[in-house]
Amino acid sequence: QIKLAALGRLTASMAHEIRNPLSAVSQAAELLREEKRGEMQARLIRIINDNAQRIERMIRDVLALGRREQAQPEALALAEFVSEVIDARVFRDPAERDLYVLDIDPALRFAIDRAHLYQILDNLLANARRYCTGAAAAVHLQAVLLAGERIALHVRDDGPGLDAAQRRHLFEPFFTSHAKGTGLGLYIARELAEANDATLELAASTCGADFVLTGRQRP
């Protein structure tokens, strides 16, 4: 019942949120049809593309909710998997690799759906990259073995961190402090974690943000 109520709130909010970028797309298209100057056309085309991509991200993220019940956990070599995710992120900008520091035992295996872990990590790393200082070793990924055969994967950045108000609403759908964000990333990431008998939380920290994904070693 709680999940259904949450889904109802999500879809109601989504209907409202989709109208905003769609309105911008429609207005830009109308102006583009009337405008003859090349510079104005280029700006309007950017508006159309940006908002169309924003809608696509919303739809993709909500569709991920439907896949949460189809989790197929496997014992993933965590260090290797995290490295692959980072490789994909830094492909276009190899210099960005210096931002990331990995402290993960190669022997550790995390029981989770491969596609779900990729989406969770990609979201956490995107946020860390966005808010970190940009200095070398600004983003630290560390895995800690806990009691009961559980693993805690920390994704820490050296950014400004979050205040009490942001922490309260952080995992709510459509809550975002980023102008081009959908506000669904962390909400979806936590839902996917729960589908794999894992948790995603924001730990207390004195500097930056420290997101912790905790799950099992074996499926």
Side-chain angles (χ1 to χ4, degrees):
Q1 289 177 341
I2 293 174
K3 288 297 181 184
L4 286 174
L7 186 59
R9 291 194 299 272
L10 172 64
T11 52
S13 298
M14 189 173 182
H16 171 74
E17 289 293 328
I18 284 179
R19 288 194 183 100
N20 293 331
L22 275 181
S23 176
V25 168
S26 299
Q27 291 174 6
E30 286 298 320
L31 291 172
L32 184 59
R33 184 163 51 187
E34 300 170 2
E35 183 57 52
K36 303 299 182 183
R37 291 178 297 176
E39 181 180 344
M40 176 62 75
Q41 285 187 348
R43 185 174 72 86
L44 295 174
I45 289 171
R46 283 198 301 272
I47 293 173
I48 291 173
N49 288 335
D50 287 348
N51 283 280
Q53 290 173 10
R54 182 182 174 196
I55 294 171
E56 171 60 28
R57 288 196 302 272
M58 285 186 193
I59 294 171
R60 181 195 63 202
D61 288 343
V62 170
L63 287 176
L65 279 178
R67 294 193 295 268
R68 76 182 297 277
E69 303 300 339
Q70 304 170 14
Q72 298 179 344
E74 57 180 295
L76 297 175
L78 188 57
E80 180 181 352
F81 191 89
V82 171
S83 295
E84 291 174 357
V85 176
I86 292 176
D87 287 343
R89 289 195 58 81
V90 304
F91 179 76
R92 292 186 179 180
D93 186 7
E96 192 174 303
R97 184 178 299 278
D98 293 338
L99 292 175
Y100 305 103
V101 175
L102 271 64
D103 181 11
I104 303 174
D105 186 339
L108 289 180
R109 293 185 174 273
F110 201 106
I112 193 169
D113 183 286
R114 180 181 297 269
H116 290 176
L117 180 57
Y118 191 98
Q119 186 166 349
I120 293 169
L121 279 176
D122 192 55
N123 181 268
L124 295 180
L125 291 176
N127 285 338
R129 174 66 185 94
R130 183 176 298 127
Y131 296 109
C132 75
T133 62
V139 181
H140 186 199
L141 294 97
Q142 179 186 26
V144 179
L145 188 59
L146 306 176
E149 295 191 336
R150 293 185 72 80
I151 298 173
L153 174 62
H154 293 257
V155 180
R156 303 186 183 96
D157 66 67
D158 65 350
L162 298 100
D163 59 31
Q166 290 173 317
R167 285 174 173 269
R168 281 196 302 272
H169 301 288
L170 189 61
F171 292 100
E172 294 179 3
F174 298 111
F175 174 78
T176 181
S177 58
H178 183 54
K180 294 186 177 181
T182 64
L184 285 172
L186 287 174
Y187 172 74
I188 299 293
R190 188 175 64 173
E191 290 291 311
L192 294 179
E194 291 179 358
N196 290 271
D197 191 27
T199 60
L200 178 62
E201 301 171 309
L202 178 65
S205 59
T206 56
C207 176
D210 180 8
F211 287 92
V212 188
L213 177 65
T214 306
R216 298 170 293 148
Q217 286 197 73
R218 296 185 178 86

